[in-house]
Amino acid sequence: METPGAAEAVMAVSSVSPARAGTVFLLLVLCRISQAQTFSFPFQQPETCGHNQYFDISSLSCVQCGAHQKPDAHGTSCVCLPGFQMISNNGGSTIICKQCPENMKGVTEDGWNCISCPSGLTAEGRCHCPIGHILVERNVNGTLLSQATCNLCNESGNSFTKSDTLGNRCVRCEPTFINISRSCTCSEPNILTGGLCFSSTGNFRPISTARRGELGISLNSEWFAKYLQSTAAACSMYANLTSCQALGNICVMNMNSFSSTTFDACRVFQYIFENTAGLSTVHSIPFWRQSLPWLFYGDQLGLAPQILSTTPLPTNFTFKGQNQNTKLKFVAASYDIKGNFLKWQTLEGGVIQLCPDTEKRLNAAYSFGTTYQQNCEIPVSKILTGFHSPVFYDVFLEYTDENQHQSLWAVPVLNLNLQHNRIFVNQDSSSSKWLLTRRIFLVDAVSGRENDLGSQPKVIRIATQISLSIHLVPNTKNGNIYPPLITIAYSDIDIKDPNRQSVKVFFSVKYEMNQGDAYIQTDIALGVLGGLAVLSSLLKTAGWKKRIGSPMIDLQTVMKFLAYYAGDLANVFFIITVGTGLYWLIFFKAQTSVSVLLPMPDQEERFVTYVGCAFALKALQFLHKLISQITIDIFFIDWERPKGKVLKAVEGEGGVRSATVPVSIWRTYFVANEWNEIQTVRKINPLFQVLTVLFFLEVVGFKNLALMDSSSSLSRDPSDYIAPYSRILRYAVSTALWLVIGIIQIVFFAAFYERFIEDKIQQFVDLCSMSNISVFLLSHRCFGYYIHGRSVHGHADTNMEEMNTNLKREAENLCSQRGLVPNTDGQTFQIAVSSQMRLHYDRIHETLTRKNGPARLLSSSASTFEQSIKAYHMMNKFLGSFIDHVHKEMDYFIKDKLLLERILGMEFMEPMEKSIFYNDESYSFSSMLYYGNEATLLIFELLFFCVVDLACQNFILAAFLTYLQQEIFRFIRNTVGQKNLAAKTLVDQRFLI
């Protein structure tokens, strides 16, 4: 139906000159588009047409036959009723029928004349002859007879007949022969082409060259040369439906390319289109002219974005619920190369998919929300065998409108090979320059034939890339989408050896949504959390400055700030990426009405960059902590005192002298070894963590949640199509499993294992008390930790009987408590030492490291060893006396930390004259061990696992490499930490296991 005002517009266009008609038509098109033109119409099949209707292959709808007419046997045209003869016939309903007189009720076989039948009539109104007789309706000269006779056909006069191909009767000549030459021959100067005769004057002659832009050649197509001019003339002069479809097919075979300087098939089609502006449109679509196929959406700039993103499709898609709608019902009107309508057919079963596969997997391409990818390599010989003649498709999306009627929505095509004035406009990144089309084909092995249509083609054209894009309407809550877009790219194959040549083809279905809001929200979160990270890093740097006792801001301060900021910023990126991944995982997989679609692979690049940044920065933080841990100053204070004197022979003097009983070093070695062992103790089991995550991903099937489809099932049928993985969803599933399993391990370790089985940190503190050894540890120049291990029994180097007696007395509270302060149990402290105390510590410590300097070259090994022993005893005596408040100028006091100090991780008071011991019941000295940095280690290993998986898409390889790096860093930590421990405490490294 025409829209209001359309009839007046048509009348106005028809009344102006052809030159102005095209301009007026373009204005009408732009007007119609600006009014939110929809490109949908009712879906009708040939078999649904009424009793007196035929299926118009141009408008793809049922049309009423004229007076005294009925549909033909194919249902795509009209024929006269029995007893009526044809007066004229241009196809479709454009025939005129006239009733035969009473004395001549029969109609000739060609339907053009009335005749008297001697033996009655058939149901079709034709004359009936007895079996074995041949019905002859005309004499040899073509004059009509009342009885069957055989005479010579008359090719002139009023008969205009000639022998048919079988040579058994006379038939009327093709109408163009009669119209042009008034005979059955097409003699010069008239032109015979395509079985039609045209006048040599006033006819356009389109070129028959087939362009092959990819190969850079043009060839003379025999098909174009034989049929282009005839189809163009028949379409232009007689509006023949089949000829117009055939002309459109030739234009499509030439990639819908248009040039104002080349009079080829598409230029002819545009010429006919512009000069038929006075005709009505089909289904009120301005680009669909009556009797012409719909090939173009117009060539106005900016038209493509309006078509693709102005009017949503009037249907909803849902993943779950009673009204579940997850099927894209694509149908296609198919035509053969000659313009004959073949049938309506759905795209299921691989109609436009060249790669072979099972029907179940092929049909998965049209499951809404399933990202589909298919590629294969097909031999050229197989293509030549299976696609002798191309089939053309006009694709539509079938949907149910609000009145529960089945309707069709035209699916636009973006042909990447299309040239407009020799420019590949559809390869431009800006959609405003695109020219959308309608009709597609898969293989063209006809237009590349030269000289002989029966020969092997010189060149074939194949649709090597077909992509179906579905765009979600922004902010939709009901699963609304814009019209789908088919993007197609053709490749030209120069045929040399078909048995050895092959071609790669790709087919994909992708779903897109506007990610602008997500980017904005991510940027806001990054800005806010990044600002908080700066504040956190500044506070940590300020705390570090206090702990090293340096008020100046130097390069070291800047580097320390950057190290802290790297860790905090890594946490920011980690929080954002985990939140983003879980958002897509939950909201995409759990949604009922579709409101979000997964980002495309190119849209994931920003997310992957954030993950990479998080890993790189977390690796810097991990290395920073590792270096800090293996460079600490540590010393084991031995409180054991000699139990008396013994007689000792003096070498070289030949006499005997009394000496104090030596204190055993084995207790120090034993505590040092225990410290060395707990350096890499963790709250989780790394091997169990990796294997459990891998078990849930690969065996249980959690990895299936990362597939780009709407299913939330953990198991998949091997016969089903397996969608590609989303990197965001893989990251989300991996992080969720890793964090959940890690947190469960930590909770189990803290709530059960440490309480009922083994607490290695508490055991180490107890060991220090039993061994009568304290640990003095400086992580910074003026800050560190102290573990008070002085035995309440005075001696630890004793026999078994006395040891058991001491333990029994302690269990029965018959002795003092273990705390540094009398009548308390506090054994662990954070310490802030004064600069004076630190200077004294450094002066003694210089003798411990002097053996590594130039003095070592001047001293013998014996003197170096004696010097080390002397330095050890000096440090042991100094630290013991410092703990016992012997040095009044370097005294200390004990206090509790303020709540804010605990929260900020810094101290407000500076140890000016006295050092400060802060009560520490949480064993914060574990921050110098793996044990106290479990969060950093857990996140670092998680990011390492995810980065490897994002790079190689393999969970098994990621798990193996993650465990390997865990063991490598654990080895490095133990080895280097062991060397540092031996150097700082004078414990021989050979005794450290």
Side-chain angles (χ1 to χ4, degrees):
M1 294 178 62
E2 301 268 354
T3 56
E8 292 81 353
V10 171
M11 292 178 62
V13 171
S14 60
S15 63
V16 299
S17 63
R20 296 185 60 191
T23 302
V24 175
F25 172 72
L26 292 180
L27 293 176
L28 289 175
V29 168
L30 293 176
C31 179
R32 298 288 287 277
I33 291 299
S34 65
Q35 296 175 359
Q37 172 71 46
T38 62
F39 301 102
S40 66
F41 56 91
F43 179 25
Q44 293 181 320
Q45 303 228 27
E47 56 268 21
T48 63
C49 293
H51 176 70
N52 202 34
Q53 293 178 326
Y54 76 99
F55 187 75
D56 188 339
I57 63 174
S58 174
S59 65
L60 300 177
S61 61
C62 298
V63 179
Q64 194 75 19
C65 286
H68 314 302
Q69 300 172 20
K70 68 175 183 178
D72 63 3
H74 300 287
T76 56
S77 183
C78 294
V79 295
C80 293
L81 292 173
F84 290 81
Q85 67 179 111
M86 288 188 297
I87 304 301
S88 66
N89 183 5
N90 287 325
S93 62
T94 58
I95 65 174
I96 301 176
C97 302
K98 178 182 178 182
Q99 189 172 11
C100 293
E102 288 293 331
N103 59 339
M104 301 178 71
K105 292 185 177 182
V107 181
T108 56
E109 289 293 329
D110 56 18
W112 287 97
N113 297 100
C114 298
I115 193 171
S116 177
C117 298
S119 302
L121 302 175
T122 64
E124 290 78 20
R126 297 323 193 239
C127 293
H128 173 73
C129 290
I131 297 176
H133 291 72
I134 296 176
L135 176 64
V136 179
E137 300 171 331
R138 301 179 184 277
N139 286 320
V140 176
N141 61 3
T143 57
L144 193 65
L145 300 176
S146 58
Q147 298 295 330
T149 59
C150 295
N151 294 316
L152 179 65
C153 295
N154 186 2
E155 296 186 1
S156 60
N158 295 327
S159 59
F160 299 118
T161 61
K162 67 175 183 178
S163 174
D164 63 359
T165 56
L166 297 178
N168 59 357
R169 59 176 174 174
C170 298
V171 295
R172 187 175 176 85
C173 301
E174 210 282 328
T176 57
F177 285 71
I178 301 172
N179 295 337
I180 299 301
S181 64
R182 302 303 296 172
S183 68
C184 289
T185 59
C186 188
S187 56
E188 294 183 353
N190 299 319
I191 300 171
L192 175 64
T193 176
L196 303 179
C197 185
F198 299 98
S199 173
S200 61
T201 60
N203 271 321
F204 44 77
R205 295 186 179 181
I207 62 173
S208 59
T209 302
R211 290 193 294 269
R212 293 295 184 268
E214 186 176 340
L215 299 177
I217 62 173
S218 295
L219 54 87
N220 294 319
S221 170
E222 179 65 16
W223 181 270
F224 290 3
K226 188 172 183 179
Y227 294 107
L228 176 54
Q229 186 173 1
S230 60
T231 56
C235 179
S236 175
M237 298 171 59
Y238 304 108
N240 183 273
L241 299 182
T242 306
S243 297
C244 290
Q245 297 293 333
L247 174 63
N249 291 342
I250 296 176
C251 175
V252 174
M253 286 191 286
N254 236 357
M255 297 292 94
N256 295 90
S257 296
F258 174 86
S259 175
S260 58
T261 60
T262 304
F263 204 63
D264 57 5
C266 292
R267 183 68 184 89
V268 172
F269 182 87
Q270 290 286 62
Y271 173 83
I272 297 174
F273 186 88
E274 293 169 0
N275 285 274
T276 54
L279 297 179
S280 61
T281 59
V282 178
H283 304 300
S284 300
I285 298 175
F287 311 112
W288 200 348
R289 183 78 76 249
Q290 189 71 37
S291 77
L292 294 177
W294 180 10
L295 298 185
F296 299 93
Y297 280 88
D299 57 356
Q300 294 78 34
L301 292 178
L303 192 59
Q306 297 183 49
I307 295 170
L308 296 175
S309 58
T310 299
T311 307
L313 199 69
T315 189
N316 302 327
F317 290 92
T318 56
F319 285 160
K320 299 176 178 66
Q322 295 180 349
N323 298 322
Q324 180 178 349
N325 181 19
T326 58
K327 202 66 178 178
L328 291 166
K329 300 177 182 178
F330 287 101
V331 296
S334 55
Y335 301 82
D336 65 12
I337 192 172
K338 295 182 178 180
N340 297 306
F341 177 80
L342 299 177
K343 61 180 177 179
W344 281 108
Q345 59 186 130
T346 68
L347 296 190
E348 292 186 343
V351 172
I352 61 172
Q353 296 164 256
L354 288 173
C355 292
D357 208 335
T358 64
E359 185 174 356
K360 190 175 183 180
R361 292 178 180 175
L362 291 172
N363 294 345
Y366 308 111
S367 179
F368 186 82
T370 299
T371 299
Y372 188 91
Q373 292 179 359
Q374 183 192 45
N375 60 84
C376 63
E377 189 168 355
I378 306 176
V380 172
S381 59
K382 184 177 180 180
I383 294 175
L384 291 175
T385 303
F387 297 90
H388 181 75
S389 179
V391 177
F392 299 84
Y393 304 97
D394 289 344
V395 182
F396 302 88
L397 182 61
E398 180 186 354
Y399 67 95
T400 304
D401 61 19
E402 57 185 8
N403 297 322
Q404 301 302 310
H405 295 156
Q406 297 300 111
S407 298
L408 296 180
W409 191 287
V411 178
V413 175
L414 182 68
N415 188 341
L416 299 182
N417 298 75
L418 183 148
Q419 296 183 57
H420 184 72
N421 292 324
R422 303 188 183 279
I423 299 175
F424 291 96
V425 292
N426 288 345
Q427 297 181 14
D428 197 286
S429 58
S430 174
S431 61
S432 61
K433 297 181 180 180
W434 292 351
L435 296 180
L436 302 179
T437 56
R438 282 283 298 125
R439 186 164 291 186
I440 64 171
F441 65 90
L442 298 183
V443 178
D444 173 18
V446 173
S447 64
R449 290 186 169 99
E450 293 183 311
N451 304 323
D452 185 8
L453 290 177
S455 63
Q456 177 177 288
K458 180 180 180 181
V459 177
I460 62 173
R461 177 166 279 164
I462 305 172
T464 51
Q465 296 186 34
I466 300 178
S467 177
L468 184 60
S469 304
I470 290 91
H471 293 256
L472 193 69
V473 175
N475 303 317
T476 181
K477 302 297 181 184
N478 300 317
N480 298 116
I481 63 171
Y482 287 122
L485 173 67
I486 296 177
T487 302
I488 191 167
Y490 293 90
S491 297
D492 296 323
I493 309 299
D494 189 5
I495 304 299
K496 295 180 179 178
D497 187 353
N499 294 321
R500 294 186 178 182
Q501 289 179 278
S502 62
V503 59
K504 293 182 179 180
V505 296
F506 302 87
F507 180 86
S508 64
V509 181
K510 58 184 180 180
Y511 295 83
E512 303 180 48
M513 66 174 291
N514 186 1
Q515 299 290 332
D517 291 342
Y519 292 154
I520 292 174
Q521 294 170 3
T522 301
D523 292 340
I524 292 174
L526 185 61
V528 173
L529 295 178
L532 295 177
V534 172
L535 294 178
S536 174
S537 302
L538 289 174
L539 288 173
K540 290 178 181 178
T541 306
W544 173 80
K545 292 292 290 182
K546 283 181 173 291
R547 291 179 175 183
I548 66 171
S550 172
M552 296 183 61
I553 299 177
D554 50 11
L555 180 60
Q556 185 184 12
T557 304
V558 175
M559 297 302 294
K560 204 69 176 180
F561 167 77
L562 293 178
Y564 285 131
Y565 185 59
D568 291 334
L569 194 58
N571 294 333
V572 170
F573 279 116
F574 178 72
I575 292 171
I576 290 176
T577 53
V578 171
T580 302
L582 293 178
Y583 168 83
W584 290 114
L585 177 63
I586 295 172
F587 283 87
F588 176 73
K589 292 289 185 176
Q591 62 186 332
T592 300
S593 293
V594 182
S595 59
V596 294
L597 292 175
L598 290 174
M600 296 298 297
D602 57 335
Q603 295 173 329
E604 293 178 331
E605 296 301 326
R606 191 172 184 177
F607 177 86
V608 174
T609 301
Y610 285 169
V611 175
C613 291
F615 170 71
L617 294 173
K618 184 58 69 172
L620 288 177
Q621 182 190 21
F622 171 71
L623 293 176
H624 174 242
K625 286 185 175 291
L626 190 64
I627 294 172
S628 299
Q629 289 181 5
I630 61 180
T631 56
I632 59 174
D633 287 305
I634 186 171
F635 192 84
F636 297 110
I637 307 171
D638 191 353
W639 297 102
E640 194 76 12
R641 295 292 178 260
K643 293 184 177 181
K645 294 186 177 182
V646 295
L647 295 178
K648 182 179 180 181
V650 180
E651 294 183 4
E653 297 182 3
V656 178
R657 179 188 304 176
S658 64
T660 57
V661 178
V663 177
S664 174
I665 195 64
W666 285 106
R667 290 173 297 99
T668 302
Y669 282 158
F670 186 68
V671 173
N673 268 301
E674 288 301 314
W675 174 265
N676 189 52
E677 287 184 10
I678 67 171
Q679 286 188 101
T680 53
V681 168
R682 296 186 57 179
K683 299 176 183 179
I684 67 171
N685 186 311
L687 180 59
F688 177 82
Q689 176 79 15
V690 170
L691 292 180
T692 306
V693 170
L694 192 61
F695 172 78
F696 279 101
L697 287 172
E698 293 289 344
V699 179
V700 179
F702 274 85
K703 69 176 183 179
N704 291 323
L705 293 177
L707 296 175
M708 298 180 72
D709 57 25
S710 61
S711 175
S712 301
S713 175
L714 299 182
S715 61
R716 300 298 176 93
D717 189 338
S719 64
D720 289 342
Y721 169 76
I722 305 299
Y725 286 100
S726 165
R727 289 182 290 181
I728 291 181
L729 294 189
R730 286 181 75 97
Y731 179 82
V733 173
S734 301
T735 54
L737 282 175
W738 195 283
L739 290 175
V740 168
I741 295 172
I743 293 173
I744 290 175
Q745 282 202 80
I746 293 173
V747 172
F748 171 81
F749 186 84
F752 179 80
Y753 188 86
E754 284 188 329
R755 180 171 297 183
F756 300 105
I757 299 178
E758 183 182 30
D759 186 348
K760 289 184 176 294
I761 304 301
Q762 178 64 54
Q763 287 178 353
F764 179 77
V765 176
D766 292 340
L767 176 65
C768 290
S769 295
M770 295 303 299
S771 303
N772 205 14
I773 290 177
S774 295
V775 181
F776 189 84
L777 188 153
L778 292 177
S779 59
H780 300 73
R781 183 178 180 276
C782 297
F783 181 84
Y785 305 92
Y786 174 66
I787 303 175
H788 185 61
R790 192 169 190 173
S791 176
V792 295
H793 309 292
H795 293 279
D797 192 1
T798 183
N799 56 35
M800 182 182 297
E801 182 180 358
E802 187 176 352
M803 179 68 71
N804 289 333
T805 301
N806 291 338
L807 291 175
K808 184 177 181 181
R809 292 181 66 234
E810 188 173 359
E812 295 175 353
N813 292 324
L814 298 178
C815 58
S816 60
Q817 294 176 290
R818 294 182 177 183
L820 176 61
V821 178
N823 300 320
T824 64
D825 289 326
Q827 293 181 259
T828 55
F829 302 88
Q830 294 182 13
I831 58 175
V833 300
S834 63
S835 298
Q836 186 178 1
M837 189 273 176
R838 177 68 197 208
L839 289 173
H840 195 84
Y841 175 90
D842 290 340
R843 281 196 297 270
I844 299 174
H845 201 271
E846 285 180 4
T847 60
L848 301 178
T849 57
R850 191 177 300 166
K851 61 181 180 181
N852 298 323
R856 184 181 181 184
L857 301 176
L858 303 176
S859 303
S860 64
S861 59
S863 61
T864 301
F865 178 71
E866 292 176 357
Q867 182 182 4
S868 299
I869 294 176
K870 182 179 179 181
Y872 170 78
H873 288 297
M874 288 177 59
M875 181 66 76
N876 193 75
K877 183 178 180 180
F878 166 70
L879 292 179
S881 60
F882 170 74
I883 298 299
D884 286 339
H885 301 279
V886 172
H887 306 281
K888 299 301 180 183
E889 72 281 4
M890 293 182 291
D891 204 359
Y892 68 91
F893 63 92
I894 301 174
K895 68 183 297 287
D896 291 325
K897 263 192 173 185
L898 301 175
L899 177 62
L900 189 58
E901 287 180 315
R902 295 176 184 272
I903 295 174
L904 297 180
M906 61 186 300
E907 298 76 35
F908 296 158
M909 293 182 63
E910 294 187 12
M912 302 299 293
E913 297 180 357
K914 292 185 177 183
S915 300
I916 306 172
F917 278 43
Y918 295 98
N919 290 310
D920 179 26
E921 298 178 356
S922 60
Y923 298 154
S924 58
F925 70 89
S926 62
S927 62
M928 293 296 100
L929 310 170
Y930 268 13
Y931 183 91
N933 295 277
E934 190 60 66
T936 300
L937 293 170
L938 186 69
I939 295 175
F940 170 70
E941 291 163 358
L942 164 59
L943 290 172
F944 185 92
F945 177 87
C946 292
V947 166
V948 174
D949 176 64
L950 291 178
C952 63
Q953 296 275 295
N954 190 317
F955 287 125
I956 298 176
L957 178 61
F960 171 76
L961 294 180
T962 301
Y963 179 72
L964 183 63
Q965 68 84 20
Q966 288 173 343
E967 291 301 308
I968 291 174
F969 278 112
R970 184 166 177 253
F971 174 78
I972 293 173
R973 174 69 176 85
N974 281 331
T975 303
V976 180
Q978 190 181 87
K979 291 182 179 180
N980 178 71
L981 181 64
K984 297 294 184 181
T985 63
L986 274 183
V987 175
D988 196 322
Q989 188 176 349
R990 290 174 295 178
F991 294 98
L992 296 178
I993 302 174

